[in-house]
Amino acid sequence: MGSSFSGALVPLLLTLKVAGWATAINLVLGIGAGLLLARARFPGRDLLDAALTLPMVMPPTVLGYYLLVLIGTQGPLGGWLLQHFGIRLIFSWQAAVIAAAVVSFPLVFKAARAAFETVDPQLEDAARSLGLGEAAVFFRVTLPLAWRGILAGLLLAFARALGEFGATLMVAGSIPGKTQTLSIAVYEAVQAGQDDVANFLVGVTSLTCIAVLLAAGRLAPGRVLARG
Amino acid sequence: MGSSFSGALVPLLLTLKVAGWATAINLVLGIGAGLLLARARFPGRDLLDAALTLPMVMPPTVLGYYLLVLIGTQGPLGGWLLQHFGIRLIFSWQAAVIAAAVVSFPLVFKAARAAFETVDPQLEDAARSLGLGEAAVFFRVTLPLAWRGILAGLLLAFARALGEFGATLMVAGSIPGKTQTLSIAVYEAVQAGQDDVANFLVGVTSLTCIAVLLAAGRLAPGRVLARG
Amino acid sequence: AELTVSAAASLNNAFQELAPAFEAAHPGTKLQYNFAASGALLQQIAKGAPVDVFVSADQATMDQAQAQGLVKREQRRNVMSNSLVLIVPAASTQPPRSLGDLAQPAYQRVAIGLPASVPVGRYTQQVLQAAGLWTAIEPRMIGANNVRQALDYVARGEVDAGFVYATDAALVPGKVKVALTVPTTEPILYPAAPMAGSAQPELAQRFVQWLLSPPAQAVLARHGFGQPR
Amino acid sequence: MDDTALRPGRSATRPAPPAATEAARPPTWALRLQRRLRHGDQTFTLDVDLTLAQPHMALVGPSGAGKTQTLKLIAGMARPDAGRVAIAGRVLHDSAAGFSLPARQRRLGYVFQDYALFPHLTVRQNIGFALRRGWLNPGRSADAPQVERWVKAFHLQAIVDHYPHQISGGQRQRTALARALVTEPDALLLDEPFAALDRPLRQALRRELLDLRAEVAVPTLLITHDDEDAELLADAVVQLQAGRVVSAPEGVR
Amino acid sequence: MDDTALRPGRSATRPAPPAATEAARPPTWALRLQRRLRHGDQTFTLDVDLTLAQPHMALVGPSGAGKTQTLKLIAGMARPDAGRVAIAGRVLHDSAAGFSLPARQRRLGYVFQDYALFPHLTVRQNIGFALRRGWLNPGRSADAPQVERWVKAFHLQAIVDHYPHQISGGQRQRTALARALVTEPDALLLDEPFAALDRPLRQALRRELLDLRAEVAVPTLLITHDDEDAELLADAVVQLQAGRVVSAPEGVR
Ligand SMILES: Nc1ncnc2c1ncn2[C@@H]1O[C@H](COP(=O)(O)OP(=O)(O)OP(=O)(O)O)[C@@H](O)[C@H]1O
Ligand SMILES: Nc1ncnc2c1ncn2[C@@H]1O[C@H](COP(=O)(O)OP(=O)(O)OP(=O)(O)O)[C@@H](O)[C@H]1O
Ligand code: MOO
Ligand SMILES: [Mg+2]
Ligand SMILES: [Mg+2]
């Protein structure tokens, strides 16, 4: 493992790709689930909410093991994909994306639910009476008003995805240049007692994370007041 | 390690103690930091925000390593504690609390910041003009109005603390009955190939988590509307 | 008194079983185990963890501990041995008969502990290098974070073969087949040593010695460990 | 009941009754609305039954009488427990027939008592909100002639780029009014639209409303506490008390 | 300037001027306020200079003239760029002296134009808000005679346990008024306090306000668009336009 910057470049790019995709997936799924639980009333809603939080509570390695069982070539999902599409998920960077997405999903979901619940329903009514369909109401009123809270969740999810390695390592393996993310590299350096390499890689991870968070801060609208 | 329920009871209680304390600490620190960053304007605010998110981005084992450096008897904090108070943090359940608290801190902090930012400042002005001091304004107006979002963060943090083992293992070790939390027990069972024990312990963890989340759901006020 | 033993994770099952015997032989003593990867154990000890005995899965880690003056070098003992095996999924029809067979196209994925951080990976790398096979196998390597992960991959049929310890392969007999026992360039010996900073140096030393006793060795043997040579 | 027939295309000749009418000359307002609001052991019961030929109605009555609730039921923002709503023969809701148009298809201009401006949009974006179709909000500098018209009419030029929390109460009210008028609705539901305005401005806006109605004959339902408003802007005054109509004179009061 | 002297204890004899007065007979309202609000390239400049002997003032003027801003500056919810505020000789703010009382020490009853009720508290809790000291809100069934008094006076009995989003506009306004009056403030700042009320209720509340002032001589500054309000409740009418006082007659108009 090179301690030079170029040595960190490959895992860095891979890490960004994995975390980016995982965050994108959670942008959709987390917002969807958050909206559902904020708005729909159905029996077992609280239970579903708690269940969707479980990926957070399981040690990543254990979660990784369950994911392995699920998406491995012998698993129900992995086997099906392999049989019908010839796709082998396991030990690919896509598997790393799935692991990172699962681990960070509750972060987006919870943040989105809380954010949607603070949006004044009267404003949505106002938009409806102005002729907007439900989708347009969502994208033009609900989402912008909830965005600040959702963004906070997304940033946490991105950070978590950057740092994730327990579950990732399990389903993606650690194939240098293919599935070795920064976190895995850091972990190995620490394990191997290569403190300087570890510190260097942690520095790279931290700087990357800070850069991404600062850039994303720009995406937040100015302070949007609750009342019109 | 017994696979009976009584075998899980000791780590379960320990886990609840550790996660409970960690969440309590973050209730104070996370809300404090969230409020500071939501309200105070100072140069480097965004940078501080990003820096406070870093515990999220570091692989827990790596974080554990840094914590070890900090609170180990040779470390600045650990050494000071040992010298002046004879307190040895490492391998104690208090060390597990510290690890769990650090790992889950960003969850509360980010949620709190986003929640505070959606509170209408005019309501705080109203409370001030009614004679309330800043502390009373905070506890009687700001906090109740932000509570829903903060609670979502606290629940995530609690779940995360329940599931944490990477950093915990590093600083607290895995001493049955003393520092072996449920997650660590799960991890060890998986490592030792005791799949049935692992599944059982995961079941206990999940049920505990769901029970706590459902109970905490009661703490959320009814839907509080943004406008008066 | 409580005796804290930091032991390599792979010793978990065997050591749990040892505890009652030692405690019975030393009334008033309670064993406290702390299991983790050998490297993590060393870091804890180096940072002041109150440990009495350290049992590592490899010589290199114990050497480091010794170099840092953390253990009593004169009381360090090799307490058991293990062997490296090549395993394949139980369903596998044509297991490799020699290491050289791994170069065949049938073995696209081979689980190996990461050589940089996992002792079993280091042993594997040494063996393969000595056999001139490393460059051929390395591109097929699926890195594992620890032995257990390599074992899981093989047991679930996600890889075509894997290198683990004999003790690990014995954990899931129905799911993996041992194709080969691989002679290692250096023997796989587990060293144990009392800590220099132990508050109970005598008891710590007695534990290390007791590990070499016939009753202890019998238990270890049942878990697949061999005598230290 | 044929759903399509009830949703005729926006006709160019506005005063003409839409395709599916009830009788030769339907009343402008045909309202039957029942709704019970419960809170703890308190209940408020709304039970409005009202048929009015006149196009312009003022709804008056003490605070808490149910005026705002009535408007929300007409606009489809709440569901009556039972009832029927038809405006100028166009049926918007009929519980008996199990029929209810969603709020967005009712084509009503609604001015909320507390304005309900979109806090994330500027005054101009708020006013132009309904003109922009699709999933995106109008841009901050998007310009439309209809927006300009009402910005000018309501003297909002100086603050078109302000956000709602940056403008005064009266400015908010005018913005809300403009936002509703821009859509050229089939009917206007106005919940105290001039309450925050001083006398000259109030007069100017009344003028605007009258001008608009001279141009396109749009029926109005106006909640007001101002007798002058009722006199000048309504052909009939309906009084609500404790959820019931207590006086609904035929003809101008 | 002596800080303590400026914050006299709540005196029992209310009309008597507090300890540190300016002159033998200070004017009730002595206001000098300058503030510039910027938004993009738009600026609104408030520049109010006003000394008034009469205790009860009505502040009128077109929408956007700066009436609400003036009130907020007096109440200490915004800081003037420069200026001085003294009510009945009690100095609340003096930029030149670098002195400014925080809002909570100004002892002013403020009724917000948009009410600003606490959405997480019931009507009763809102009204009793200031009576409860400490870090806890009054309980949902906490009862105080002052609260009861105003609940009765403003006919809020039926909805004391409702939350703000469950009550009508007029009910909100009355709740806001009661919340401000309960504290027995040194002066009242009312931003269109009757705008959402129908005529009979408006008259009843005016009566209440006059009764209150007969009991304790509390100065009032009332923003209104209603001439009758101004006539009945104010001794002097001050007109604001584009941020400046354009007419401030001495004596009753
Ligand atoms: N969500 C609710 N739950 C219970 N009661 C409610 C709810 N919303 C409104 N009410 C009650 O319904 C009654 C009618 O309210 P509405 O807002 O229609 O009054 P209004 O006639 O518009 O009065 P105002 O002139 O004061 O605006 C009020 O007594 C109010 O307390
Ligand atoms: N945060 C702000 N930024 C920029 N301009 C502002 C801001 N707040 C208020 N203004 C402007 O200041 C002016 C005065 O506002 P103010 O609320 O005092 O008016 P007002 O006299 O109370 O009017 P109304 O009778 O409509 O309530 C308005 O033109 C408004 O657009
Ligand atoms: O027994 Mo180890 O140190 O986990 O390879
Ligand atoms: Mg109303
Ligand atoms: Mg105003």
Side-chain angles (χ1 to χ4, degrees):
Chain A
M1 196 179 310
S3 87
S4 68
F5 192 80
S6 66
L9 196 63
V10 175
L12 173 62
L13 292 180
L14 178 70
T15 302
L16 286 176
K17 180 163 81 170
V18 169
W21 271 103
T23 310
I25 289 173
N26 279 330
L27 177 72
V28 177
L29 295 186
I31 288 180
L35 189 66
L36 179 77
L37 281 157
R39 294 298 157 81
R41 328 255 116 193
F42 52 87
R45 192 168 68 122
D46 290 351
L47 204 67
L48 180 62
D49 183 287
L52 289 176
T53 315
L54 281 185
M56 202 75 203
V57 86
M58 270 193 259
T61 325
V62 176
L63 197 66
Y65 180 71
Y66 289 134
L67 276 177
L68 181 68
V69 171
L70 181 71
I71 68 171
T73 51
Q74 318 292 311
L77 183 61
W80 183 81
L81 280 175
L82 188 62
Q83 254 192 328
H84 293 82
F85 303 93
I87 296 172
R88 189 195 274 265
L89 270 181
I90 194 134
F91 305 141
S92 65
W93 68 268
Q94 288 90 342
V97 169
I98 293 178
V102 169
V103 165
S104 57
F105 169 80
L107 297 169
V108 184
F109 152 66
K110 278 274 186 192
R113 179 176 176 180
F116 285 131
E117 280 177 343
T118 55
V119 173
D120 184 352
Q122 183 172 267
L123 294 174
E124 297 170 329
D125 275 343
R128 285 187 196 105
S129 90
L130 286 166
L132 265 61
E134 289 306 312
V137 170
F138 177 73
F139 284 107
R140 294 172 61 179
V141 177
T142 317
L143 192 59
L145 291 175
W147 182 242
R148 178 172 284 276
I150 295 172
L151 185 66
L154 279 173
L155 291 181
L156 279 176
F158 182 81
R160 181 84 182 80
L162 278 186
E164 164 50 29
F165 86 101
T168 309
L169 190 65
M170 200 76 180
V171 294
S174 176
I175 307 170
K178 199 173 148 206
T179 62
Q180 195 188 45
T181 64
L182 261 185
S183 304
I184 294 176
V186 172
Y187 174 76
E188 284 179 12
V190 168
Q191 288 294 305
Q194 301 171 318
D195 280 10
D196 46 348
V197 176
N199 288 338
F200 171 74
L201 290 174
V202 164
V204 171
T205 315
S206 303
L207 285 180
T208 307
C209 181
I210 289 182
V212 171
L213 294 186
L214 285 181
R218 305 277 140 95
L219 292 181
R223 180 165 186 175
V224 166
L225 294 173
R227 43 179 56 222
Chain B
M1 194 180 310
S3 88
S4 68
F5 190 80
S6 66
L9 197 63
V10 174
L12 173 62
L13 292 180
L14 178 69
T15 302
L16 286 176
K17 180 164 84 170
V18 168
W21 272 102
T23 309
I25 289 173
N26 278 331
L27 177 74
V28 177
L29 295 186
I31 287 179
L35 189 66
L36 180 75
L37 282 158
R39 293 297 158 80
R41 329 257 115 192
F42 51 88
R45 192 167 70 122
D46 290 349
L47 205 65
L48 179 61
D49 184 285
L52 288 176
T53 313
L54 281 184
M56 202 74 203
V57 86
M58 270 194 260
T61 325
V62 177
L63 197 65
Y65 177 69
Y66 287 131
L67 276 177
L68 194 59
V69 170
L70 181 72
I71 69 172
T73 49
Q74 324 288 309
L77 183 62
W80 182 81
L81 280 175
L82 187 63
Q83 254 194 328
H84 293 82
F85 303 93
I87 294 173
R88 191 196 280 265
L89 271 180
I90 196 159
F91 274 22
S92 65
W93 68 268
Q94 289 89 342
V97 169
I98 294 178
V102 169
V103 165
S104 57
F105 169 79
L107 297 170
V108 185
F109 153 64
K110 277 275 183 190
R113 178 176 177 182
F116 285 131
E117 280 178 341
T118 57
V119 173
D120 184 352
Q122 183 174 266
L123 294 173
E124 298 170 329
D125 274 343
R128 286 188 195 104
S129 91
L130 286 165
L132 265 62
E134 289 307 311
V137 170
F138 176 74
F139 283 107
R140 293 172 60 178
V141 177
T142 316
L143 192 59
L145 290 175
W147 183 242
R148 176 173 285 275
I150 295 173
L151 184 66
L154 279 173
L155 291 181
L156 278 176
F158 182 81
R160 181 83 183 80
L162 280 186
E164 164 51 29
F165 85 100
T168 310
L169 186 63
M170 209 71 187
V171 294
S174 163
I175 303 170
K178 203 171 145 204
T179 63
Q180 194 187 50
T181 62
L182 263 184
S183 301
I184 292 177
V186 170
Y187 175 74
E188 281 192 5
V190 168
Q191 287 294 306
Q194 303 170 321
D195 280 9
D196 47 347
V197 176
N199 287 336
F200 171 74
L201 291 175
V202 164
V204 172
T205 315
S206 301
L207 285 180
T208 307
C209 180
I210 289 182
V212 171
L213 293 187
L214 286 182
R218 306 277 140 95
L219 292 181
R223 181 167 184 173
V224 166
L225 293 174
R227 45 178 55 224
Chain C
E2 289 183 344
L3 191 72
T4 305
V5 177
S6 276
S10 49
L11 300 174
N12 194 325
N13 294 5
F15 270 37
Q16 300 268 5
E17 206 180 316
L18 282 178
F22 181 77
E23 284 169 4
H26 300 81
T29 304
K30 174 117 183 44
L31 277 183
Q32 272 192 344
Y33 288 126
N34 175 47
F35 296 109
S38 305
L41 294 175
L42 172 64
Q43 282 162 350
Q44 291 172 335
I45 292 166
K47 297 297 183 288
V51 175
D52 299 302
V53 178
F54 178 33
V55 188
S56 165
D58 65 338
Q59 299 295 321
T61 308
M62 187 61 87
D63 291 346
Q64 280 184 46
Q66 194 173 315
Q68 293 175 37
L70 298 170
V71 298
K72 295 188 171 160
R73 70 167 65 214
E74 66 286 357
Q75 292 175 13
R76 168 175 169 174
R77 297 283 181 277
N78 289 328
V79 288
M80 67 202 88
S81 69
N82 210 338
S83 48
L84 184 66
V85 293
L86 175 63
I87 54 170
V88 292
S92 176
T93 46
Q94 275 196 313
R97 291 162 194 231
S98 70
L99 281 181
D101 286 359
L102 283 181
Q104 289 171 6
Y107 303 100
Q108 284 305 312
R109 297 157 209 277
V110 181
I112 300 175
L114 291 162
S117 55
V118 186
V120 72
R122 196 156 56 233
Y123 291 123
T124 306
Q125 186 183 22
Q126 284 167 1
V127 166
L128 291 175
Q129 275 170 341
L133 289 165
W134 181 245
T135 39
I137 307 292
E138 199 190 1
R140 305 176 178 192
M141 165 177 158
I142 301 293
N145 184 23
N146 51 49
V147 182
R148 175 65 196 177
Q149 199 171 346
L151 182 67
D152 271 333
Y153 288 155
V154 179
R156 300 203 53 79
E158 301 296 352
V159 295
D160 306 309
F163 288 92
V164 298
Y165 293 125
T167 48
D168 298 305
L171 285 174
V172 285
K175 293 182 179 163
V176 301
K177 277 198 283 221
V178 176
L180 291 173
T181 299
V182 186
T184 45
T185 40
E186 52 173 304
I188 304 172
L189 292 171
Y190 289 61
M195 304 306 305
S198 169
Q200 308 162 77
E202 254 173 64
L203 194 59
Q205 187 183 4
R206 224 176 297 156
F207 180 75
V208 172
Q209 280 164 355
W210 180 80
L211 286 175
L212 289 163
S213 72
Q217 288 293 318
V219 172
L220 290 171
R222 218 175 322 121
H223 286 271
F225 292 100
Q227 302 267 338
R229 279 151 290 164
Chain D
M1 197 171 292
D2 186 352
D3 193 300
T4 353
L6 287 161
R7 279 183 277 167
R10 186 165 273 258
S11 61
T13 57
R14 201 63 99 60
T21 57
E22 302 190 333
R25 207 157 180 282
T28 311
W29 304 98
L31 310 174
R32 199 153 35 70
L33 295 166
Q34 280 164 23
R35 184 160 197 234
R36 181 163 297 190
L37 287 167
R38 228 176 250 108
H39 178 77
D41 46 348
Q42 304 276 351
T43 29
F44 173 81
T45 311
L46 189 78
D47 188 354
V48 168
D49 195 342
L50 182 70
T51 309
L52 211 67
Q54 291 92 334
H56 305 305
M57 150 157 97
L59 191 61
V60 303
S63 170
K67 306 182 292 298
T68 297
Q69 285 298 328
T70 304
L71 239 61
K72 293 216 161 162
L73 290 172
I74 296 175
M77 286 165 200
R79 277 208 169 224
D81 300 331
R84 184 166 180 284
V85 177
I87 300 178
R90 182 166 172 248
V91 180
L92 303 180
H93 179 95
D94 192 339
S95 294
F99 169 77
S100 191
L101 272 185
R104 86 190 130 91
Q105 291 174 355
R106 297 199 177 192
R107 300 206 308 264
L108 302 172
Y110 195 115
V111 174
F112 290 79
Q113 187 165 12
D114 49 2
Y115 324 138
L117 296 180
F118 302 118
H120 57 303
L121 301 179
T122 63
V123 167
R124 183 191 272 123
Q125 289 174 306
N126 263 282
I127 298 176
F129 188 82
L131 297 177
R132 181 86 148 90
R133 297 283 111 188
W135 293 2
L136 287 177
N137 284 315
R140 288 179 37 126
S141 53
D143 231 351
Q146 299 103 299
V147 173
E148 279 324 292
R149 173 188 167 183
W150 292 109
V151 164
K152 274 210 198 90
F154 291 170
H155 311 293
L156 295 167
Q157 295 96 326
I159 52 144
V160 278
D161 290 324
H162 283 51
Y163 285 91
H165 73 270
Q166 297 173 323
I167 61 178
S168 80
Q171 288 163 344
R172 282 181 213 176
Q173 204 160 52
R174 283 176 279 156
T175 304
L177 206 50
R179 185 178 67 176
L181 289 173
V182 146
T183 60
E184 303 185 15
D186 284 357
L188 282 174
L189 306 177
L190 311 175
D191 201 345
E192 310 198 24
F194 306 133
L197 305 178
D198 59 310
R199 171 171 293 278
L201 200 50
R202 182 182 278 254
Q203 280 164 350
L205 291 205
R206 279 189 197 134
R207 199 60 274 142
E208 285 294 337
L209 195 57
L210 288 170
D211 286 355
L212 174 75
R213 297 205 309 214
E215 245 177 82
V216 286
V218 51
T220 12
L221 197 172
L222 173 78
I223 297 181
T224 186
H225 294 308
D226 188 297
D227 296 343
E228 259 181 54
D229 278 352
E231 236 166 83
L232 286 168
L233 299 172
D235 314 319
V237 175
V238 173
Q239 178 143 22
L240 217 59
Q241 206 149 33
R244 289 172 179 276
V245 175
V246 290
S247 86
E250 283 293 305
V252 188
R253 189 166 77 162
Chain E
M1 197 171 291
D2 186 354
D3 193 300
T4 354
L6 286 162
R7 279 184 277 167
R10 186 166 274 260
S11 62
T13 56
R14 200 63 98 61
T21 57
E22 303 191 330
R25 199 148 186 285
T28 312
W29 304 98
L31 311 174
R32 199 153 35 71
L33 294 166
Q34 278 165 22
R35 186 162 196 236
R36 180 163 298 192
L37 286 167
R38 227 175 250 109
H39 178 78
D41 47 348
Q42 301 277 352
T43 28
F44 172 82
T45 312
L46 189 78
D47 189 353
V48 168
D49 196 342
L50 182 69
T51 309
L52 212 66
Q54 293 91 333
H56 306 305
M57 149 156 91
L59 192 59
V60 302
S63 169
K67 304 182 295 296
T68 298
Q69 285 298 329
T70 303
L71 240 60
K72 294 215 159 162
L73 290 172
I74 295 174
M77 287 166 202
R79 278 208 167 223
D81 298 332
R84 184 167 181 285
V85 176
I87 300 178
R90 182 165 172 249
V91 180
L92 303 179
H93 179 95
D94 191 341
S95 294
F99 170 78
S100 190
L101 273 185
R104 85 189 132 90
Q105 292 174 356
R106 297 199 177 192
R107 299 205 308 264
L108 303 173
Y110 196 114
V111 174
F112 289 79
Q113 186 164 13
D114 49 2
Y115 323 138
L117 295 180
F118 303 118
H120 58 302
L121 300 179
T122 63
V123 166
R124 183 190 271 123
Q125 289 174 304
N126 263 282
I127 297 176
F129 188 83
L131 298 177
R132 181 87 149 87
R133 295 283 112 187
W135 292 2
L136 287 178
N137 283 316
R140 289 180 36 125
S141 53
D143 231 350
Q146 300 103 299
V147 173
E148 279 324 292
R149 172 187 169 188
W150 291 109
V151 164
K152 274 209 200 89
F154 291 171
H155 312 293
L156 294 169
Q157 294 96 326
I159 52 142
V160 277
D161 290 325
H162 283 50
Y163 286 90
H165 72 270
Q166 297 172 322
I167 61 177
S168 79
Q171 289 163 344
R172 282 180 213 176
Q173 201 162 54
R174 281 175 281 157
T175 305
L177 205 50
R179 183 178 68 177
L181 289 173
V182 146
T183 59
E184 302 184 16
D186 284 358
L188 282 173
L189 306 177
L190 311 176
D191 201 344
E192 311 197 24
F194 308 132
L197 305 178
D198 58 312
R199 172 170 291 279
L201 199 53
R202 181 182 279 253
Q203 279 164 350
L205 292 205
R206 278 189 198 133
R207 197 61 277 141
E208 286 294 338
L209 194 58
L210 288 170
D211 285 356
L212 174 77
R213 297 204 310 214
E215 246 178 80
V216 286
V218 50
T220 14
L221 197 172
L222 173 79
I223 297 182
T224 185
H225 293 308
D226 186 298
D227 295 345
E228 259 182 55
D229 277 353
E231 237 166 81
L232 286 168
L233 298 171
D235 314 319
V237 175
V238 173
Q239 178 144 21
L240 218 58
Q241 205 149 37
R244 290 173 178 275
V245 175
V246 290
S247 85
E250 284 290 307
V252 188
R253 191 165 75 159

